[in-house]
Structure formats: C-alpha cells, structure tokens
Amino acid sequence: MRRGWITMALVGALTLSTGVVPVGAQPAASDAPCPPDTPRAPFLDVSPASTHAAGIDCAYALELVAGVTEDRFAPQRPVTRAQAATLVARALDTAGVTLPPAASGTDFADVPAAHRDNVRRLQAAGVVQGRADGTFGGSADVSREQFASLMVRALSYARGLDVRAAARGVFSDVTSEAHTANVEAAAEQGLLQGRTDGTFGPAASTRREQAASVAARLVSELRRGGDFQTAGGEVWVLDQGTDRIHVYDGDDGFEELVTIDVRPQTLRDLGFADAPTGAVTVPHMIEFDSQQRYAFVAATAGGVTLVIDARSKQVVAVLATGPGSHMAAVTPDDRAAWVAVIGTAGRHSTRANPTDPDADPIPAQQRKMVEIPLDLDAADPQFAIGRELQLQDLLAPLEAANGWEYPSYSPVCHQYDADSTEAWITLGPGWNQGGLVVLDLASGTLVEEAAFDPAVVKANCGVSVTEDRVIVNWSGRVEPGADTNGEWYVIDPETYELLATRDSEGSDAHGVRVTPDGSSYWQVNRNSDNALIIDAETLEVTGRLPAIADTPDILDFSPDGSLLYVTQRGPTPRSGAIHSASGQQPGVAIVEVATGRRLGVLTQAPVTNAEGRLVNDVHGIGVRVKSADDTVPQNATATTASFDARVVDPAQLGAHCSLPASV
C-alpha cells in the first residue's frame, strides 16, 4: 500500500528537542492548557529563552511537575520510567480522564513508593506495562521512543480510540516494531516532532524539560478534543470480513452498543428463508430511511439485502435481491429502497471483459436495479421485492441511438434527486467499466436527455446529488505499476449538462460525501490515502489532506458535521482487488472537520483465520441520531454472542464488488 506522510499543519506542536522544524501555529487561547499570563515557574536554571520555558511554566502551574528544589528544575536531567508514569497520570487527572483504581493494577516491587499508585493505575488502564521478567524498571531512564509510546497510549485511552498511525517511515532512525507507529502517531497528533535532520533519536533519554512540555501539550489536546466524544451520533460500522455490524454510541465516548451478527448460519437459524446459502454474507453498504427507523444493508457475497430495525438493532427481513447486491438506498420520500445489483460470474466480469473476450459474462438478469416498495408508517411494515429492471435492456436504446457501447451493464452506486423522481446510477465496478445513467423511478426507464458518453463520463464509484450539483467519481486506472489519478465530474441536475471534469489528485477515487450543511464535498482516494475538500458553491479545492486515513473508502459525517468518519480496509479484503483496497489498520478513522486532523481510529476486536491473517475488513458506514424509541441495552449482542474465525476459500465468496480479473 502506498502512503504519504501527513503534512498539514498540526496545531501548537511541542517538541522533544531544540533542533526541530516548527509545524503549525500556536494553539488558540481557548485551547491552550494555560493562559498567556501564566506566572513564571520559580526555577533559576530554566532560561526564559528556552524552547521549553513556557511548557515548564504551564506544567508547573497545572501541578504536573515540581522542582528538584524550590528554585531548581534540573531541565537536562533524564526522566525515569516511574517518573514518566506519574507525569502522565497527573496529566490525565488534570484533563478529567478517569483512571482505574490503583488496587486493580499490578504492584511492581521495583517501583519507588512515590510513584507506585500511579504506575498501578496506568497499568490497569493498559497505558503502561511491565517487563517480561515481571519487573517495571521504575528507576531506568525512559527513552524518547518509549515516552512517545506512553503518550500515545494515554491519548488512546482517553479518547477510546486507537491513535497509532500506520507506519509511514517518517523518521529514518525509528525502526522498532514496538514503537514506530506510536512515535509517528505522537508527531501526527502534534505532541512531538523529530529533529531537523529527519531523525528522532529514539534511544536517547527523555529530559525533564521535554517531558514537561509534552505533558502540558497532552493536557491541552485532551481538553480541546473532549467535545468530539459527545456529539458523534450513532455510528454503524460494517465489518464485511467478519460478517458483523458494530454499532457505537458517538454521544458517549464511542461505547459499543451492540454487535449484529449477520453470518449466513445465524440468519438461517433465525428462520429467514432467503438467508445466504454460502459461507459468508459480506455486508457491504448501509443507508437509513429519512427518519432513521430502518437500516438497509446490501450484502454482496450473500446476494441479499438486510433490513434492520434501527431502534431495536434486530434483523427484520432478508431479501434475495441478487448476487453482488452492492448498495441499497432509500428514496427521500421513503416510498422505496432501490438496490444496485452488480451480478457475478466466474471471473467477476460484468460483461465480456474488455481486455479478455473469453471471460464469462454475467447473465443479463443479474445486472439490475431492484425495488423494495416501502410503507414505513404502517403498524407492521412488510418488506418484499417489487420491480426488477435489467440494465442491459434499459441501456440498449441509448447505445443504438448514440452509437455507444457501455463497457458494463452493472449498476454500482446511486443516489436520488430531492423529490424522489430520479436515481443517478454509476456503472462498473472496474476502472475500465464505468458509466453514468439516470433512471426515471416512476416509469422504470432511463432519462434519454441524461445520456452521458461512457468514454467521457467514466464514473464507477461514489455519487452525491444535491439540488444544485451532481458529483460522481471515476477511480482512475487501477493497475499495478500503471495507476493514474481519478476524476470527478460535475453535472447540472436540471439540464444534465456536464459542467466540469476535475482531477481527483490521487489514485482510486472512491468515497464522496457532502457535509450536513451543504457547504463542501469531501472526496477520498483509496489507493493514495489522500483527500480533497471542495467548496460546494465554487467547486474550488479548499483543502488537501495528504494522508487522511489508511485506505480511505466510505465516508459519513456526525449529525452536527463536526466529525468525519472514514472507513479503513483490512489486509485481507473481502471486496476489491488486493492492490487497490488492502490496508493495514481496519477500522474507522475519525477526523475533526474544522482542522482535518485525524483524532484516532475506532477499531473492532481483531479476528484472525487459521493462517493467522487478520480478516477484519471495514467497508460500509452509516450515522444516525439516536431515538427515544431505541430499546437495545448497552453492551448487548444481537442475534448471537459467539463468533468463530474461519478460513474461507475465496471461491466460496461468490459475488462481490471486484475489479476485473485482468487488472
């Protein structure tokens, strides 16, 4: 997986050395742990010109540190492991983070009495750990890389997220498997940086002046970031690698409310006649109705669409919508959900593969849009399949009239206009199989005026429809050694005029989402890990995030628009070609919209197969506002409480969203 280091400004970064390239501005007064008029600490050996003078003053005012005497701080003296633990425990206490009681942690015999309780509290929280021989090494100096790991684990504990960065090789001298990701995460979070020569000095001891500065910054970071844990909405995360849907309470520290098991056997045990018959379900995409009463989950390998009562978190219907059911979306008027069904074949091609004429085509009846008529206001809503529209039949008149040949008849993603009369549908799924059509929902025919030449508009990915604009993505060429940047197309929804074609500035353009207030689009490139922020009115790029997440895939926002959730793929992807959709850290990156900062990654319990490979593979995501009618108790598990990791033969996966076999 190709990655680039985040180069966006980090707010108020504090350093571990005096020879550091500064990044970003100082924090705003409201974010700083101490006001500008904080009194000077009474230490004669700390020069006012010192890089760390302000940090020491602040840490002293917050009672995080004390002097070795009344007027001496010994800024150059190394910090021991026990002292570092006490410093971090004090920082967490000061920021209002609750640690477990000391009695619940290990009592290491080699920790001085003054630090013992703090070490025990941090050990119980998982922030520190002992050595293999059962000791803690409390009197040993703490190295710079160890201190970075300590700070990152403390921040992860406080946020309830995995703050570690995927290893990006930023510092040439940081190679430790135990600390590399933490060192780089500490830099990413603005807690510390490396030296001007690009090194970090991981084995060097941490000095007291450095530790004081970073501890003050940790308090600042915890204080300024506390609100994100109380306004995140209810977050539904689809782990298609484990056939589980995880639901988190973003309004309460991202506590997991429930895990919904959607494995084929579980669904069969629940009595659903159309439960998948194969080995896996692969829940791929999720959308809610306008009142967020029901979730509709398209499952590619299972060939079904799941309907889940969003209030009780129980599966209420399983509909056999067809192999490769890729996306289910509800019309704005809640009168129907339509499912884009890619179909499947032995080689996962959607038509005779353009680069392999001998590839088996998908049967025409599998490439379709499937309607699920809805009456969600009924006392007992029923769910059944309605119309099935074959895309090959619908596209034939456009091909004949325009002399075009669509490289695919398989629908991939779709969204609707505001009055629920039209669906904008991208085709694919391969990079060389894109296209765009508009479906009149009432008549079940394509809008002839909205005929786009597939050689010009090659959209095969995300789509966003507003009253003023339609934005659709093309991944770009996705081929080993020959990747190209993707494109995004801007279309007038009234006149169907193609207004602009823009470069996605990255490889494998995929997810796109408009902010809740309609002010901007966020678009991610899955292969190059970067993102663009696009002004919704001017269509100018107003922000570029070189590394928003590890394999950023699908996006959604918190209800208030303050947070962006970005799914990250796993190392054993259940959909998409390995080279374009394989990541190292499956989960959900949580990004602060105002700054573009990644706050951390919401991870799921790791599941490995018999070969020891991690099978978690997060793809779809949906966010809803909790309802007073919600009935699921916290920490419950829907349908079943067990999960067995399995080795699954790829041939058993059946239909799923994949690039052509030739790519």
Side-chain angles (χ1 to χ4, degrees):
M1 183 62 201
R2 296 175 294 282
R3 296 183 180 81
W5 175 240
I6 289 182
T7 56
M8 62 180 173
L10 296 172
V11 180
L14 295 175
T15 68
L16 275 183
S17 78
T18 56
V20 173
V21 178
V23 177
Q26 291 300 313
S30 60
D31 295 334
C34 297
D37 58 352
T38 298
R40 286 293 319 279
F43 304 127
L44 301 178
D45 57 349
V46 177
S47 167
S50 168
T51 301
H52 300 286
I56 292 171
D57 292 345
C58 181
Y60 180 77
L62 294 173
E63 299 184 353
L64 302 179
V65 299
V68 296
T69 66
E70 289 187 359
D71 60 1
R72 302 192 68 80
F73 185 70
Q76 300 292 315
R77 184 179 297 178
V79 176
T80 68
R81 285 167 55 89
Q83 291 168 342
T86 288
L87 182 62
V88 168
R90 289 174 180 168
L92 293 172
D93 290 341
T94 299
V97 178
T98 301
L99 287 168
S104 60
T106 301
D107 189 3
F108 297 102
D110 62 335
V111 174
H115 304 289
R116 186 164 296 170
D117 280 356
N118 286 324
V119 170
R120 295 183 71 180
R121 291 198 297 154
L122 291 182
Q123 192 277 332
V127 176
V128 301
Q129 53 194 356
R131 294 173 168 173
D133 62 1
T135 65
F136 184 74
S139 298
D141 292 350
V142 62
S143 69
R144 285 164 57 89
E145 65 180 1
Q146 290 171 341
F147 192 67
S149 288
L150 177 61
M151 303 303 289
V152 168
R153 287 197 294 265
L155 190 58
S156 293
Y157 172 80
R159 288 181 177 170
L161 302 171
D162 186 349
V163 180
R164 293 174 302 167
R168 300 175 188 272
V170 179
F171 302 112
S172 59
D173 59 341
V174 178
T175 59
S176 166
E177 182 178 349
H179 300 290
T180 296
N182 287 328
V183 169
E184 295 181 350
E188 182 181 35
Q189 295 297 321
L191 295 175
L192 52 86
Q193 297 169 333
R195 296 166 171 171
T196 54
D197 62 358
T199 65
F200 182 74
S205 296
T206 302
R207 302 192 304 269
R208 284 170 54 86
E209 60 181 358
Q210 297 168 337
S213 287
V214 177
R217 176 60 184 144
L218 177 62
V219 172
S220 173
E221 187 61 30
L222 292 173
R223 285 179 172 176
R224 71 179 296 272
D227 291 344
F228 85 89
Q229 293 179 314
T230 60
E234 187 178 89
V235 184
W236 291 51
V237 178
L238 276 55
D239 187 343
Q240 60 181 15
T242 64
D243 281 349
R244 287 205 162 190
I245 300 172
H246 301 268
V247 184
Y248 299 93
D249 188 350
D251 299 334
D252 188 17
F254 293 97
E255 179 182 4
E256 185 164 3
L257 296 174
V258 64
T259 301
I260 305 173
D261 184 342
V262 296
R263 290 175 296 166
Q265 187 60 56
T266 300
L267 298 174
R268 290 194 290 269
D269 290 345
L270 290 171
F272 292 110
D274 288 330
T277 58
V280 291
T281 302
V282 187
H284 193 67
M285 298 280 282
I286 180 172
E287 293 282 347
F288 299 98
D289 66 276
S290 66
Q291 297 184 45
Q292 300 180 325
R293 295 165 291 184
Y294 292 91
F296 293 79
V297 178
T300 52
V304 298
T305 296
L306 310 173
V307 184
I308 303 174
D309 187 318
R311 296 153 297 186
S312 68
K313 313 300 187 288
Q314 297 293 320
V315 178
V316 296
V318 178
L319 305 176
T321 44
S325 292
H326 183 262
M327 180 179 182
V330 184
T331 56
D333 62 9
D334 289 341
R335 296 184 63 182
W338 285 85
V339 185
V341 180
I342 292 175
T344 187
R347 303 249 342 245
H348 304 299
S349 61
T350 57
R351 190 180 176 186
N353 191 316
T355 59
D356 183 0
D358 296 325
D360 295 331
I362 295 174
Q365 66 270 20
Q366 290 187 6
R367 300 172 298 200
K368 57 190 176 182
M369 293 295 295
V370 177
E371 179 189 34
I372 305 172
L374 300 176
D375 181 5
L376 301 182
D377 293 325
D380 183 21
Q382 300 298 302
F383 303 95
I385 292 174
R387 290 176 290 173
E388 298 189 19
L389 307 179
Q390 313 300 327
L391 264 292
Q392 182 170 350
D393 294 340
L394 297 181
L395 286 167
L398 295 184
E399 290 184 316
N402 297 284
W404 299 334
E405 184 176 356
Y406 284 89
S408 169
Y409 296 142
S410 292
V412 176
C413 294
H414 57 292
Q415 287 296 343
Y416 310 99
D417 61 358
D419 58 7
S420 303
T421 61
E422 295 177 344
W424 292 70
I425 305 169
T426 57
L427 306 178
W431 66 265
N432 52 359
Q433 298 175 313
L436 177 66
V437 296
V438 180
L439 175 66
D440 181 284
L441 296 177
S443 66
T445 61
L446 296 182
V447 178
E448 294 183 5
E449 297 85 350
F452 301 97
D453 185 344
V456 176
V457 177
K458 298 170 281 188
N460 67 337
C461 305
V463 54
S464 175
V465 181
T466 68
E467 292 184 359
D468 302 318
R469 296 284 189 273
V470 174
I471 303 288
V472 290
N473 282 347
W474 173 52
S475 63
R477 185 186 183 99
V478 182
E479 194 167 29
D483 290 347
T484 65
N485 283 1
E487 294 176 343
W488 48 280
Y489 308 99
V490 184
I491 300 167
D492 187 316
E494 294 295 328
T495 65
Y496 309 112
E497 178 186 0
L498 176 62
L499 302 175
T501 299
R502 303 287 177 84
D503 192 314
S504 75
E505 301 184 21
S507 172
D508 197 9
H510 204 68
V512 61
R513 182 79 71 161
V514 66
T515 54
D517 65 3
S519 64
S520 62
Y521 297 95
W522 287 59
Q523 182 263 313
V524 297
N525 295 297
R526 188 169 57 182
N527 201 18
S528 51
D529 294 349
N530 64 314
L532 298 180
I533 305 172
I534 304 162
D535 185 278
E537 182 175 353
T538 66
L539 299 178
E540 295 299 319
V541 175
T542 59
R544 293 175 171 87
L545 307 181
I548 191 172
D550 176 25
T551 50
D553 205 311
I554 305 299
L555 319 175
D556 206 351
F557 290 92
S558 62
D560 66 357
S562 64
L563 299 176
L564 174 70
Y565 302 106
V566 187
T567 60
Q568 299 188 159
R569 303 297 298 279
T572 312
R574 280 282 170 84
S575 64
I578 297 297
H579 67 270
S580 67
S582 177
Q584 296 181 358
Q585 191 182 29
V588 179
I590 301 178
V591 178
E592 187 178 55
V593 170
T595 63
R597 258 179 358 124
R598 190 176 70 164
L599 298 170
V601 179
L602 187 63
T603 58
Q604 294 66 54
V607 177
T608 56
N609 61 21
E611 299 172 345
R613 290 181 60 84
L614 187 69
V615 300
N616 301 80
D617 185 28
V618 174
H619 186 272
I621 189 165
V623 181
R624 68 183 285 266
V625 177
K626 289 186 296 182
S627 165
D629 296 330
D630 291 355
T631 58
V632 173
Q634 291 189 349
N635 299 318
T637 300
T639 66
T640 183
S642 64
F643 178 78
D644 298 321
R646 307 173 306 286
V647 180
V648 178
D649 184 340
Q652 293 180 300
L653 295 181
H656 64 285
C657 172
S658 177
L659 298 178
S662 63
V663 179

